[in-house]
């Protein structure tokens, strides 16, 4: 009965497309603060954060940052990133301490991991609403009973779940970028930059087409990104590209106030079917986006690819 009701609610949420639509909006969220992926030689976590924060403050875009507290134990100097993030007026949320996959650990360990990061970010967000949780790997549990147990724990702690409705796999570019900078391969770096921006644009168009096919309208697009070195380098260009594609920007809270996210965000509600399940149930085929993972993995693996300095 709960599943039937969930589908009924989702059907009601699909408002008709009007002749005079507002611009589609993106809420940008960043995972894995304060440290993500490999660093190019001569680059620090602080510098990556400085570039990232500047890009958003220059464009007056609020971005939510989700924290893995355990990163600080491995890289103590990265703690400054969280201070910089808050000094820039940007909010922090919870991404667990060790970036655990719920499918691989007990509920007790998973919830304790959340609580450990809460103790870190709570004081930094004093007076502000920081009770947003982003599932590591977006894994909400392949065991229905386990999934409900974690949702109950989140509800008891007054968390909202930071759902994702757009992702172009930006994390895949950061490690190849570090390799290519180390080799001084300028041609490969240019390939990385071009492909990163191209796939971001293709994903935005495909995600919009999927949403309109499923809901009959644009929904707010909550974009998942990571605080990596190439991300920081390309953010000014990426933000301009989204604006050129007709998007505007909003906050996480405003985006996920849209009723289409209700069961995703409120852990006190029964979880809704995943969007790909909804699409499959209605016979809607997702728009394809080129998969570049093999190309990215192969770049700058051999000294023979090194360009002249």
């Amino acid at each position: 009965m709960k599943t039937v009701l969930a589908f009924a609610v989702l059907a009601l949420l699909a408002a008709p497309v009007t002749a005079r639509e507002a611009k589609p909006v993106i809420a940008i969220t960043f995972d894995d603060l304060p440290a993500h992926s490999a660093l190019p030689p001569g680059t620090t976590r602080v510098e990556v954060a400085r570039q990232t924060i500047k890009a958003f403050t220059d464009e007056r875009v609020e971005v939510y940052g989700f924290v893995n507290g355990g990163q600080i134990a491995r890289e103590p100097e990265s703690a400054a990133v969280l201070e910089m993030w808050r000094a820039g007026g940007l909010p922090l949320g919870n991404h667990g301490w060790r970036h655990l996959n719920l499918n691989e650990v007990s509920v007790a360990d998973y919830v304790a991991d959340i609580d450990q990061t809460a103790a870190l970010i709570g004081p930094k967000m004093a007076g502000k609403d920081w009770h947003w949780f982003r599932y590591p790997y977006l894994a909400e549990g392949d065991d229905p009973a386990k999934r409900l147990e974690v949702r109950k724990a989140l509800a008891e702690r007054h968390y909202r779940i930071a759902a994702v409705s757009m992702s172009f796999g930006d994390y895949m570019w950061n490690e190849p970028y570090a390799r290519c900078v180390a080799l001084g391969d300028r041609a490969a770096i240019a390939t990385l930059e071009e492909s990163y921006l191209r796939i971001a644009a293709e994903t935005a168009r495909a995600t919009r087409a999927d949403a309109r096919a499923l809901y009959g309208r644009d929904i707010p697009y909550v974009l998942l990104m990571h605080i990596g070195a190439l991300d920081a380098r390309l953010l000014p260009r990426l933000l301009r590209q989204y604006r050129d594609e007709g998007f505007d920007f909003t906050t996480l809270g405003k985006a996920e106030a849209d009723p289409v996210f209700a069961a995703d965000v409120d852990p006190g509600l029964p979880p809704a079917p995943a969007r790909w399940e909804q699409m499959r149930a209605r016979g809607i085929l997702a728009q394809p986006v080129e998969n570049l993972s093999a190309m990215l993995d192969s770049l700058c693996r051999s000294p023979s690819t090194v360009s002249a300095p």
Side-chain angles (χ1 to χ4, degrees), residues 3 8 18 21 25 28 44 55 60 68 84 91 105 135 141 173 187 198 209 218 223 256 296:
T3 300
T18 63
E21 295 175 282
V25 293
I28 302 178
T44 66
R60 299 184 180 182
N68 297 128
M84 294 169 62
V105 298
Y135 283 88
W173 275 262
R198 174 167 53 82
D218 276 303
L223 175 64
E256 299 207 331
L296 295 172

Side-chain angles (χ1 to χ4, degrees), residues 183 185 298 300-308:
L183 290 174
D185 192 333
S298 69
C300 301
R301 292 286 189 185
S302 165
S304 65
T305 64
V306 178
S307 300

Side-chain angles (χ1 to χ4, degrees), residues 9 45 108 110 172 198 214 218 229 235 247 249 305:
V9 170
R45 300 294 181 196
Y110 194 80
M172 295 189 296
R198 174 167 53 82
L214 182 59
D218 276 303
L235 268 174
F247 288 97
F249 298 102
T305 64

Side-chain angles (χ1 to χ4, degrees), residues 41 53 69 122 134 142 157 175 199 245 269 294:
I53 294 165
R134 166 71 50 75
D142 51 11
R157 289 160 174 76
E175 187 174 335
I199 296 301
E245 290 282 331
L269 296 176

Side-chain angles (χ1 to χ4, degrees):
M1 178 61 71
K2 288 180 178 178
T3 300
V4 172
L5 288 172
F7 273 113
V9 170
L10 289 167
L12 290 172
L13 297 175
V17 178
T18 63
R20 299 178 64 185
E21 295 175 282
K23 284 185 176 182
V25 293
I26 298 175
I28 302 178
T29 62
F30 264 67
D31 282 8
D32 298 352
L33 271 68
H36 165 75
S37 195
L39 285 171
T43 303
T44 66
R45 300 294 181 196
V46 167
E47 180 55 30
V48 169
R50 184 178 292 114
Q51 287 181 275
T52 300
I53 294 165
K54 184 178 186 303
F56 290 121
T57 54
D58 284 353
E59 291 289 332
R60 299 184 180 182
V61 174
E62 180 183 297
V63 57
Y64 225 102
F66 288 90
V67 177
N68 297 128
Q71 300 275 23
I72 296 174
R74 288 189 291 275
E75 298 184 33
E77 66 280 3
S78 70
V81 169
L82 303 186
E83 306 304 327
M84 294 169 62
W85 196 265
R86 290 299 299 127
L90 302 178
L92 296 169
N94 198 324
H95 198 37
W97 191 262
R98 292 170 288 168
H99 204 272
L100 298 177
N101 188 328
L102 178 55
N103 299 331
E104 299 171 357
V105 298
S106 70
V107 170
D109 284 348
Y110 194 80
V111 173
D113 208 68
I114 295 170
D115 290 343
Q116 194 170 3
T117 289
L120 171 68
I121 64 177
K124 298 183 188 306
M125 287 289 290
K128 303 291 184 182
D129 179 14
W130 55 270
H131 285 85
W132 284 95
F133 176 69
R134 166 71 50 75
Y135 283 88
Y137 307 103
L138 302 182
E140 298 193 20
D142 51 11
D143 177 340
K146 186 189 248 187
R147 183 180 186 186
L148 289 175
E149 281 188 71
V150 170
R151 287 177 72 93
K152 180 182 177 183
L154 291 171
E156 289 170 348
R157 289 160 174 76
H158 308 292
Y159 278 101
R160 288 169 289 174
I161 297 167
V164 173
S165 55
M166 184 186 292
S167 172
F168 63 93
D170 68 298
Y171 65 91
M172 295 189 296
W173 275 262
N174 286 308
E175 187 174 335
Y177 176 63
R179 293 196 305 265
C180 294
V181 171
L183 290 174
D185 192 333
R186 292 176 297 182
I189 292 169
T191 295
L192 288 170
E193 293 179 350
E194 181 278 330
S195 60
Y196 179 106
L197 294 169
R198 174 167 53 82
I199 296 301
E202 287 182 13
T203 299
R205 289 190 286 269
T207 303
R208 284 193 74 190
D210 290 346
R212 292 165 76 89
L214 182 59
Y215 301 112
R217 64 180 177 97
D218 276 303
I219 64 172
Y221 300 104
V222 180
L223 175 64
L224 168 61
M225 296 187 66
H226 297 78
I227 189 164
L230 187 61
D231 288 304
R233 176 183 172 97
L234 292 182
L235 268 174
R237 291 164 62 183
L238 180 65
L239 294 175
R240 286 196 300 271
Q241 177 172 285
Y242 282 134
R243 290 196 192 278
D244 289 345
E245 290 282 331
F247 288 97
D248 207 345
F249 298 102
T250 189
T251 65
L252 176 64
K254 289 178 180 178
E256 299 207 331
D258 188 296
V260 79
F261 292 105
D264 297 319
V265 171
D266 185 350
L269 296 176
R275 285 181 178 78
W276 67 265
E277 292 177 308
Q278 298 171 41
M279 292 176 69
R280 184 175 65 181
R282 292 177 53 185
I284 300 170
L285 295 178
Q287 293 296 305
V289 176
E290 187 179 2
N291 185 339
L292 298 183
S293 57
M295 181 276 286
L296 295 172
D297 187 59
S298 69
L299 275 180
C300 301
R301 292 286 189 185
S302 165
S304 65
T305 64
V306 178
S307 300

